[in-house]
Every structure is written in C-alpha cells, then in structure tokens.
Amino acid sequence: MNNSDKKNHWETVYETKNPNEVSWTQEVPKTSLDFIFSFGVKKAR
C-alpha cells in the first residue's frame, strides 16, 4: 500500500465510522488518564 492509498484509507475511516466502530476509541481511557494523573500537575485555567 503506497502513501496515497494509506491516506485515502484513513480519510475514509474517519469520514464513515462512528467512534464505537473503531478499535482506538475507549469509553474511559484509564491507562492514559492514570499516566497523566501520575505527574500530579494541577489543572490550569
């Protein structure tokens, strides 16, 4: 698959799929949130 084919593939995925139809969406991204919270940084306003 060349770069143009890859680009077209992913553009089609983003345009035609809902978040619950793709593998990278999580209802609660626990691992990512745990990593972020591990730094102890307070929210900025």
Side-chain angles (χ1 to χ4, degrees), residues 10 12-14 16-26:
W10 288 112
T12 300
V13 170
Y14 282 108
T16 62
K17 301 287 183 181
N18 290 315
N20 64 331
E21 298 177 292
V22 294
S23 63
W24 59 83
T25 301
Q26 298 173 312

Side-chain angles (χ1 to χ4, degrees), residues 3 5-8 10 12-13 16 19-20 22 24-26 31-34 37-39 44:
N3 285 341
D5 291 338
K6 289 177 186 178
K7 181 179 185 293
N8 289 333
W10 288 112
T12 300
V13 170
T16 62
N20 64 331
V22 294
W24 59 83
T25 301
Q26 298 173 312
T31 301
S32 296
L33 291 173
D34 288 346
F37 293 143
S38 74
F39 290 99

